[in-house]
Amino acid sequence: MREATKALPAEPLDATALVADMGRRARAAAAILAQLSPEAKTAALNAAAAAIRAATPAILAANAIDLEQGRARGMKAAFLDRLALDAGRIEGIAKGLEVVAALPDPVGTVIAQWDRPNGLHIQRVRAPIGVIGIIYESRPNVTADAGALCVRSGNAAILRGGSEALASSRAIHAAMVQGLAAHGVPLDAVQLVETGDRAVVGAMLAAQGLIDVIVPRGGKSLVARVQTEARVPVLAHLDGNCHTYVDGAADLAMALSVVRNAKLRRTGICGATETVLVAKAAQAFLAPIATMLLDAGCEVRGDAATQAVDARVKPATDADWDTEYEDAIVAMKLVDDVDAAIAHVERHGSHHTDAIITQDPVAAEKFLAGVDSAIVMVNASTQFADGGEFGFGAEIGIATGRLHARGPVGAEQLTTMKYLVRGTGQIRP
Amino acid sequence: MREATKALPAEPLDATALVADMGRRARAAAAILAQLSPEAKTAALNAAAAAIRAATPAILAANAIDLEQGRARGMKAAFLDRLALDAGRIEGIAKGLEVVAALPDPVGTVIAQWDRPNGLHIQRVRAPIGVIGIIYESRPNVTADAGALCVRSGNAAILRGGSEALASSRAIHAAMVQGLAAHGVPLDAVQLVETGDRAVVGAMLAAQGLIDVIVPRGGKSLVARVQTEARVPVLAHLDGNCHTYVDGAADLAMALSVVRNAKLRRTGICGATETVLVAKAAQAFLAPIATMLLDAGCEVRGDAATQAVDARVKPATDADWDTEYEDAIVAMKLVDDVDAAIAHVERHGSHHTDAIITQDPVAAEKFLAGVDSAIVMVNASTQFADGGEFGFGAEIGIATGRLHARGPVGAEQLTTMKYLVRGTGQIRP
């Protein structure tokens, strides 16, 4: 680790100056990184994985400091568990880097090419975005995951993790950049903000021209702050209020299986279904679906029709249709048909992931076209909304904004494009 | 034209409320527009062209009002010429709509598709962005061009043109929406801000959630204001400080022809070359290139080497390397080699369009990879930086930002994407 990033300032921090300095160094590193061959980046990422494995004792020692400080501050057990590393988790981090190392390199990939009548050959190719700022909470693994995904896509990264995991992040970062540097990745390509001062977050959000895009990874309050304050573009999603609509032409066994998985496989992830809509033509399915969920320990908040099928169903209020529970709670409602389902999703959803269960291809295509979400599914669990499940290998999050990347943000989505035009002396008439 | 948009408020305008109302109506219209078939949009755009043709007398009468007011306010001749319409220019506007009508519809186009091992079929398809705000100056044709490109790409448009052309824009807009409506395009799909109050521009720039992206079309001061103030994402470019680098392995005849065209074909467009760099190995080309430009009436501001070849060459100052002249002026400099040329372009350029003239494929590929601009060219005039020349049919501008669209912004670039996932009841393990 270099001296310049080692010392913590004792006096009040000039966060703007700190970010400006990191941003300038990142920009210079990005220019070098953009020219590295796919093979060099692959070797560098594998070397980073090896360096992290080799640094296991140092990382565990640093993690012990974070855990001790966390306990002293009275952190909750769940929080401490998220922060805690052991040899197995560090091996998982190293393996994660190797997964990213094995991903196809997006830089230079030809997206489209064509010839013009005047003989000009035009190619649209992928190019790195430049400098990515990642703001996250206290999961130390993000330091390695996010840094690696940026390197794979040819971008410099400025990482700002939660102060509670600072010692752990610093140890992981030190090992990672040492491994990366062995294969030509500049030390400044992956920089860690080595202070917990929250002013740095504000400075990053305002760093137009220094940071090209911000990716927040964490809970809603973090994402909301980033989306509200940022002057730099943001790739993120705030809410994951996902729907599963059981159409009149649905297969009951499939509906039961998919709804159960979509709601209950993991209730805390952003692709979990929060509202189940059932078509009037499938009203007979209300009872088995509600009962299945209740029996599985899920609270059901329903409209009048749903309340009628099981005494355990609680009445839904207007707020329920807009709520992302992130818990074993579901809202249920009878709707007229697929058009009413689309209207409900468009009004109450968060444009993240929504699904229809149906055997009717016409209803399926109507739902796919009419629902304006990043991911629209037919006959599948909304919990598949995940970069890994899409085959991206790794993702840095899921975006619901309308520009640049929508859906899972993997290495490819961390690139921009440029046009390469090859001629033989053409001049414009 | 509807009554609601006809009356101009006599009392102080609540610009925020006006934009909020327009934005909500645009969002509702966008949802309908997004579902229209390609054929319906094509028919609507052709009907809009016909309606504009049929409204020629009304448009000319409105234009006469704008011109009279302009003359009364002492507008310059060049400005009045830009504002003036005649039957030929109106026919040009109508023809422009027909060109857009003939463009392939980007909405629903499959960008990529693949199958997952679990049988899920994933498609990435183009979808409209939603609501586009276009802020422009006093060219009345933009009202039709920009509105049409938004309709083609399934987006609602909120158009805010210069107040000097308001009567003309209103007449063109009235005819256009009448034609569009005949084929199911909602009246609110293309809305015109019917007041010259500049507060509306500020309200549009702040309209997060109402307007998805702003496209400014006009001079630097407009674009600079938009980029500085906007909270909504912006697709634009501020500067077009483009370079042509004559490599050591260049063909002299090609260099002379391409440099002349790149600099002088039209000096006011953003793709015009502003700086010519010449490699030391091609130092003998300095004299013929400088003399050719001088003889053609171009002012040449050169470094010492360039000054030495012709007495008419003026000394360049540091500021010249950073200047977009938009005039018959060029900066010229001798550089060591292709690496030095890349370094100069990266330091002083605006990441718009830059070209190398060379017969050496290695130098060409180095330049293509090393120059981080929206468009990088080999052996062609930088004046080809244009959506029409790229085969896009029509463009709304050229973007140099790093996210979403880079280079010419045509119908395709006014779309976002969504994922369609088709399964057979898959649940996530």
Side-chain angles (χ1 to χ4, degrees):
Chain A
M1 210 157 83
R2 299 184 323 168
E3 213 177 339
T5 52
K6 218 175 203 167
L8 277 180
E11 54 205 75
L13 181 80
D14 182 345
T16 304
L18 175 73
V19 170
D21 177 57
M22 294 181 84
R24 273 188 293 267
R25 290 193 280 125
R27 185 71 66 197
I32 297 167
L33 192 56
Q35 303 301 317
L36 282 188
S37 70
E39 296 73 25
K41 284 185 275 178
T42 301
L45 289 163
N46 282 321
I52 284 175
R53 259 191 208 102
T56 299
I59 296 170
L60 288 176
N63 189 242
I65 295 171
D66 284 335
L67 288 170
E68 194 184 300
Q69 289 185 349
R71 277 186 217 103
R73 279 190 222 137
M75 264 184 203
K76 285 188 187 159
F79 201 92
L80 286 169
D81 177 63
R82 222 184 299 163
L83 181 55
L85 295 173
D86 55 26
R89 285 188 177 184
I90 295 173
E91 174 58 24
I93 291 172
K95 280 229 171 76
L97 289 198
E98 287 164 349
V99 166
V100 174
L103 290 178
D105 194 303
V107 177
T109 307
V110 178
I111 308 167
Q113 56 185 325
W114 61 94
D115 290 296
R116 296 292 302 152
N118 59 11
L120 287 180
H121 181 69
I122 302 183
Q123 286 185 319
R124 186 191 290 157
V125 304
R126 293 199 197 284
I129 290 175
V131 179
I132 317 271
I134 295 122
I135 299 174
Y136 53 105
E137 292 173 338
S138 295
R139 295 181 187 271
N141 62 303
V142 177
T143 305
D145 293 354
L149 215 46
C150 287
V151 169
R152 175 78 288 168
S153 48
N155 296 292
I158 296 179
L159 308 170
R160 198 281 179 191
S163 56
E164 302 83 356
L166 190 51
S168 313
S169 285
R170 220 185 268 159
I172 292 169
H173 173 258
M176 178 165 66
V177 295
Q178 185 201 347
L180 292 171
H183 293 271
V185 173
L187 281 173
D188 286 333
V190 181
Q191 295 178 65
L192 180 70
V193 175
E194 305 226 5
T195 158
D197 194 321
R198 294 198 58 158
V200 176
V201 173
M204 287 175 71
L205 298 179
Q208 283 176 296
L210 294 164
I211 296 176
D212 296 304
V213 64
I214 294 275
V215 181
R217 284 198 61 164
K220 258 182 224 189
S221 64
L222 171 68
V223 177
R225 180 189 171 190
V226 167
Q227 289 189 333
T228 306
E229 282 185 32
R231 299 285 305 169
V232 173
V234 175
L235 292 180
H237 71 275
L238 186 61
D239 291 304
N241 187 16
C242 303
H243 298 73
T244 298
Y245 163 62
V246 179
D247 186 51
D251 174 85
L252 177 60
M254 187 193 289
L256 287 169
S257 157
V258 171
V259 167
R260 183 186 176 116
N261 185 267
K263 176 65 247 181
L264 293 174
R265 173 184 161 271
R266 280 180 62 192
T267 56
I269 68 171
C270 58
T273 284
E274 305 292 6
T275 294
V276 173
L277 303 170
V278 177
K280 272 204 177 141
Q283 187 159 2
F285 293 3
L286 264 186
I289 293 173
T291 304
M292 172 275 293
L293 289 166
L294 288 160
D295 290 350
C298 185
E299 178 178 328
V300 177
R301 302 186 187 172
D303 63 352
T306 313
Q307 290 170 53
V309 302
D310 194 304
R312 295 170 292 175
V313 175
K314 297 182 180 168
T317 66
D318 283 352
D320 281 302
W321 314 120
D322 298 315
T323 300
E324 182 185 9
Y325 301 113
E326 299 185 303
D327 204 347
I329 307 172
V330 73
M332 274 188 76
K333 189 178 186 175
L334 196 68
V335 294
D336 280 346
D337 54 15
V338 64
D339 289 312
I342 293 168
H344 181 99
V345 170
E346 288 299 293
R347 179 159 170 211
H348 299 282
S350 57
H351 306 292
H352 189 293
T353 300
D354 301 287
I356 180 174
I357 312 298
T358 189
Q359 299 298 316
D360 173 9
V362 175
E365 295 308 314
K366 203 167 200 181
F367 192 84
L368 288 169
V371 170
D372 178 26
S373 295
I375 304 171
V376 194
M377 295 178 162
V378 178
N379 294 335
S381 167
T382 55
Q383 299 231 359
F384 282 113
D386 173 278
E389 293 298 326
F390 270 54
F392 294 179
E395 63 157 51
I396 205 164
I398 290 183
T400 54
R402 305 195 63 81
L403 295 186
H404 195 74
R406 237 183 146 202
V409 180
E412 190 177 291
Q413 287 72 31
L414 291 178
T415 61
T416 182
M417 58 185 169
K418 66 195 257 196
Y419 290 94
L420 309 182
V421 181
R422 292 177 174 91
T424 50
Q426 281 85 346
I427 59 173
R428 188 167 170 192
Chain B
M1 209 153 87
R2 299 185 321 168
E3 213 179 338
T5 52
K6 219 175 202 168
L8 278 180
E11 53 204 75
L13 181 79
D14 183 344
T16 304
L18 175 73
V19 170
D21 177 59
M22 294 181 84
R24 274 188 292 267
R25 289 193 281 125
R27 185 71 65 198
I32 297 168
L33 192 55
Q35 303 301 319
L36 282 188
S37 70
E39 296 72 25
K41 285 185 275 176
T42 301
L45 289 164
N46 282 321
I52 284 176
R53 256 188 211 105
T56 300
I59 295 170
L60 288 176
N63 189 242
I65 296 171
D66 284 334
L67 288 170
E68 194 183 300
Q69 289 186 348
R71 277 187 216 101
R73 279 188 221 140
M75 263 185 202
K76 286 188 187 160
F79 200 93
L80 287 169
D81 177 63
R82 222 184 298 164
L83 181 55
L85 295 173
D86 55 25
R89 286 189 176 181
I90 294 172
E91 174 57 25
I93 290 172
K95 280 227 172 77
L97 288 198
E98 287 164 350
V99 166
V100 174
L103 289 178
D105 195 303
V107 177
T109 307
V110 178
I111 308 166
Q113 55 184 326
W114 61 95
D115 290 296
R116 297 290 303 151
N118 59 11
L120 288 179
H121 180 68
I122 302 183
Q123 287 185 318
R124 185 191 290 156
V125 305
R126 292 198 197 286
I129 289 176
V131 179
I132 318 270
I134 295 122
I135 299 174
Y136 53 106
E137 292 173 337
S138 296
R139 294 180 187 271
N141 62 302
V142 176
T143 304
D145 294 353
L149 216 45
C150 287
V151 169
R152 176 79 287 170
S153 48
N155 297 291
I158 296 178
L159 308 169
R160 198 282 180 191
S163 56
E164 302 84 355
L166 190 52
S168 312
S169 284
R170 220 184 269 161
I172 292 170
H173 173 258
M176 179 165 66
V177 295
Q178 185 201 347
L180 291 172
H183 293 271
V185 173
L187 280 173
D188 286 332
V190 181
Q191 294 178 66
L192 180 70
V193 175
E194 305 226 5
T195 159
D197 194 321
R198 295 198 56 160
V200 177
V201 174
M204 287 175 71
L205 298 180
Q208 283 175 296
L210 294 163
I211 296 176
D212 296 303
V213 63
I214 295 274
V215 181
R217 283 198 61 164
K220 258 182 225 189
S221 64
L222 171 67
V223 177
R225 180 190 171 189
V226 167
Q227 290 189 331
T228 306
E229 282 185 33
R231 299 283 307 168
V232 173
V234 175
L235 291 180
H237 72 274
L238 186 60
D239 293 303
N241 186 16
C242 304
H243 298 73
T244 298
Y245 162 64
V246 180
D247 185 51
D251 173 85
L252 177 58
M254 187 194 288
L256 287 168
S257 158
V258 171
V259 167
R260 183 187 176 115
N261 186 267
K263 176 66 247 182
L264 293 173
R265 174 184 161 271
R266 280 180 63 191
T267 56
I269 68 172
C270 58
T273 285
E274 306 292 6
T275 294
V276 174
L277 302 171
V278 177
K280 270 203 178 142
Q283 189 160 2
F285 293 3
L286 264 186
I289 293 171
T291 303
M292 173 273 294
L293 289 166
L294 288 159
D295 290 351
C298 184
E299 180 178 325
V300 177
R301 302 184 187 173
D303 63 352
T306 314
Q307 289 170 55
V309 302
D310 195 303
R312 294 171 293 175
V313 174
K314 296 183 181 167
T317 65
D318 283 352
D320 281 302
W321 313 122
D322 298 314
T323 301
E324 181 185 11
Y325 301 113
E326 299 185 305
D327 203 347
I329 307 172
V330 73
M332 275 188 74
K333 188 178 186 175
L334 196 68
V335 294
D336 279 348
D337 53 17
V338 64
D339 289 311
I342 293 168
H344 181 100
V345 170
E346 287 300 293
R347 178 160 171 211
H348 299 283
S350 56
H351 306 291
H352 189 293
T353 300
D354 301 286
I356 180 174
I357 312 298
T358 189
Q359 299 299 316
D360 173 10
V362 175
E365 294 309 313
K366 203 167 200 182
F367 193 84
L368 287 168
V371 170
D372 177 28
S373 295
I375 304 170
V376 194
M377 295 179 160
V378 178
N379 295 335
S381 167
T382 56
Q383 301 232 355
F384 282 113
D386 174 277
E389 293 297 326
F390 270 54
F392 294 179
E395 63 156 52
I396 206 164
I398 290 183
T400 54
R402 306 195 64 83
L403 295 187
H404 195 73
R406 234 183 149 203
V409 180
E412 190 177 292
Q413 287 72 33
L414 290 177
T415 61
T416 182
M417 57 186 168
K418 66 193 257 195
Y419 290 94
L420 308 182
V421 180
R422 292 176 175 90
T424 51
Q426 282 85 347
I427 58 172
R428 189 168 170 189

